[in-house]
Amino acid sequence: MTDTSQTQSTPPEPPEGAFEPYKPRSPEFRAAMDALGGLRQDLFHDAFAYRPLPRASADGRLARRLPGRMREYATWAPHILITAAGLLAMLIATSGFRGAGANLALGLLALVPVLLTMVRPVGAFWLSMLATPVAAVLDGNWDGQWPWPPGSFACQLFVLTIVAIRTRPRTAAWMWALTGVYGFVVGSLLGGGHYFGPNTMELLFVSAVVLLAVTVWHIRRDARQEVSAQQTVTAHERSRRTLLEERTTIARELHDVVAHHMSVVAIQAEAAPYRVENPPPELERAFATIRENAVAALTELRRVLGVVRAEDYEAPDAPQPTLADLDALLANVREAGLSVDKTVTGAVRELPQGVELSAYRIVQEALSNSLRHAPGAGARVEIGYVLGGLGLRVVNGPPPEPSLVKPSPGAGHGITGMRERVSMLSGEMTAGRTGEGGYEVTVFLPVADTRDGDA
């Protein structure tokens, strides 16, 4: 049996003059350093930076109720309120019985820091702190009014409130703490055993209540802005989702239309040689090639466009509707309570099935919107077969009883779907309210003229 012993070696002592190994700081130390860093960032870094107070919005809750000229003046409301606060502090500072020169100096010491908050808010706090001992010496009344003379008391309170509104709660908290430190130092030096001056606790209490209210206001404002931003993002995502849903619907319908035509081509190509007696081999090979290409194209079409089908989607058994089915649609709409007239101009002709289907869907959606948003109103459908395309116009009058119109629970698919169909066919569309209070949808779908090619 062998006995093995383990020895633990201690690291050698660092040579004299070498750096000490790094020792991780405690959480308390890091918190203190972060606090000092925040103090330096908020109150010392660019303390006298120029930060002008912006004008209020002309679309505010109160400004909207004022006439045009008064609304322009209302945008200066923050500047007017701060000036009024400064004049109030000046009035309080000059209310005692002193000489004219002392009153003037005390009034300026109370007025200037408040006005400075409009351009240099953090610098205004430091100026108010520096002006306080000067005002105390000039005031000379130490009977229960130190270390904050009345004018300095009001000035400091106004400055703390305005700076808290203009900056952020952390900056206001540092200013409140330094205000307490000043009162503690002056009270310790001149208070005869009292740690705070007679009115320091009053200032700290009143300013704490004000700063708490300002902090709650900041939190509510930030929350409203965040909610507004989230609503904007949600509306954008809803619009994108609506667009994708409409494109998916269009792709499904086009898939059915194109698949039908390709199937017809394949069947006719296969049956064509049997319609000719003793067809030449070249003709049989040509029809066979046509059939093979049609089947291959149909396979690829189903492979690519089939991914847009939902799992529970089934292709319709009946053919896709065209403008020939419009009378049945209008009859259904009339049964639903909408009085609608149809006008057709131009030479009626057969159009490509994609154009016919899109035109039918556009009229269908426009009439559905009329039923939903203008119950009881009359509508008119105008179809124009013109050279180079098809024109559509669906217009409805204003609802007889606007109070009966209920908000639509839909997701806004109607206009989006119409625009997608028109854009797919390189057409043009306008939609908007009429001068009489109704709604109008105007569409032009271009159709290539194939008569020259047939000739």
Side-chain angles (χ1 to χ4, degrees):
M1 179 182 294
T2 59
D3 184 14
T4 60
S5 61
Q6 296 180 352
T7 60
Q8 185 176 4
S9 60
T10 59
E13 294 292 333
E16 186 177 357
F19 291 104
E20 292 289 336
Y22 171 77
K23 296 180 180 179
R25 304 293 186 181
S26 64
E28 293 80 5
F29 179 81
R30 289 197 298 269
M33 294 304 296
D34 292 340
L36 292 177
L39 174 64
R40 182 172 60 253
Q41 178 69 25
D42 292 341
L43 297 185
F44 294 96
H45 182 69
D46 292 336
F48 287 86
Y50 181 67
R51 300 166 185 169
L53 177 66
R55 295 168 62 179
S57 174
D59 297 329
R61 184 181 304 174
L62 297 178
R64 288 197 302 264
R65 303 177 181 178
L66 299 176
R69 197 63 178 174
M70 294 297 295
R71 184 181 302 177
E72 179 69 19
Y73 294 148
T75 59
W76 294 100
H79 303 77
I80 296 174
L81 291 176
I82 292 177
T83 303
L87 293 176
L88 178 60
M90 181 179 181
L91 181 63
I92 294 174
T94 57
S95 60
F97 297 97
R98 310 175 193 87
N103 275 343
L104 178 61
L106 288 172
L108 292 177
L109 290 175
L111 173 64
V112 173
V114 179
L115 297 182
L116 190 62
T117 58
M118 290 189 286
V119 289
R120 306 182 191 275
V122 179
F125 166 76
W126 289 116
L127 181 60
S128 176
M129 293 292 293
L130 294 176
T132 298
V134 178
V137 173
L138 292 175
D139 184 85
N141 184 8
W142 296 85
D143 185 13
Q145 296 185 359
W146 63 276
W148 307 93
S152 298
F153 189 101
C155 174
Q156 187 73 1
L157 180 61
F158 291 152
V159 168
L160 286 175
T161 303
I162 297 170
V163 175
I165 294 175
R166 291 207 58 198
T167 57
R168 53 181 177 175
R170 191 181 76 175
T171 304
W174 282 122
M175 294 180 179
W176 184 85
L178 290 181
T179 300
V181 169
Y182 171 79
F184 175 79
V185 171
V186 175
S188 300
L189 295 178
L190 304 177
H194 297 283
Y195 291 110
F196 289 96
N199 57 359
T200 297
M201 294 303 297
E202 298 176 5
L203 177 60
L204 290 178
F205 175 77
V206 174
S207 59
V209 173
V210 173
L211 294 183
L212 179 61
V214 173
T215 301
V216 172
W217 175 79
H218 271 292
I219 294 174
R220 291 192 60 186
R221 185 192 62 177
D222 295 341
R224 284 197 301 267
Q225 291 178 350
E226 185 176 355
V227 170
S228 177
Q230 290 296 331
Q231 289 176 345
T232 302
V233 173
T234 302
H236 179 67
E237 291 298 328
R238 186 185 298 115
S239 176
R240 289 186 59 191
R241 185 170 62 251
T242 299
L243 187 63
L244 291 176
E245 290 175 357
E246 288 301 318
R247 287 181 176 177
T248 301
T249 302
I250 296 171
R252 289 170 179 169
E253 294 180 346
L254 285 179
H255 173 270
D256 298 331
V257 171
V258 178
H260 168 73
H261 286 296
M262 294 302 295
S263 299
V264 171
V265 170
I267 293 172
Q268 289 183 346
E270 184 176 6
Y274 300 100
R275 297 171 180 262
V276 180
E277 185 176 357
N278 299 323
E282 295 82 1
L283 182 61
E284 291 184 352
R285 286 195 299 269
F287 279 117
T289 302
I290 293 173
R291 182 184 181 282
E292 291 174 0
N293 290 331
V295 172
L298 184 61
T299 303
E300 290 297 325
L301 178 67
R302 286 173 175 167
R303 182 180 303 160
V304 174
L305 294 183
V307 298
V308 303
R309 295 186 182 275
E311 293 182 0
D312 56 349
Y313 176 79
E314 295 181 1
D317 297 331
Q320 294 290 351
T322 64
L323 290 177
D325 304 310
L326 200 57
D327 290 335
L329 172 64
L330 299 182
N332 290 334
V333 172
R334 293 189 186 101
E335 292 178 359
L338 181 66
S339 175
V340 56
D341 297 325
K342 184 183 77 167
T343 303
V344 180
T345 58
V348 178
R349 64 184 185 275
E350 185 177 355
L351 300 175
Q353 189 168 357
V355 175
E356 295 259 357
L357 172 62
S358 295
Y360 180 91
R361 295 300 189 198
I362 290 172
V363 174
Q364 183 183 41
E365 186 59 42
L367 293 177
S368 298
N369 288 341
S370 300
L371 279 170
R372 192 160 46 242
H373 300 290
R380 186 171 65 258
V381 177
E382 299 177 3
I383 303 174
Y385 291 85
V386 297
L387 184 64
L390 177 70
L392 299 174
R393 182 172 179 264
V394 183
V395 58
N396 63 265
E401 295 292 338
S403 59
L404 299 179
V405 180
K406 299 180 180 180
S408 174
H413 291 55
I415 298 297
T416 302
M418 286 190 246
R419 293 192 186 280
E420 279 298 304
R421 293 181 183 276
V422 173
S423 176
M424 176 189 65
L425 297 173
S426 301
E428 298 178 0
M429 170 181 167
T430 59
R433 296 198 173 276
T434 62
E436 295 79 14
Y439 202 84
E440 177 180 353
V441 176
T442 305
V443 174
F444 177 75
L445 303 177
V447 177
D449 191 357
T450 58
R451 288 178 297 180
D452 295 339
D454 295 340

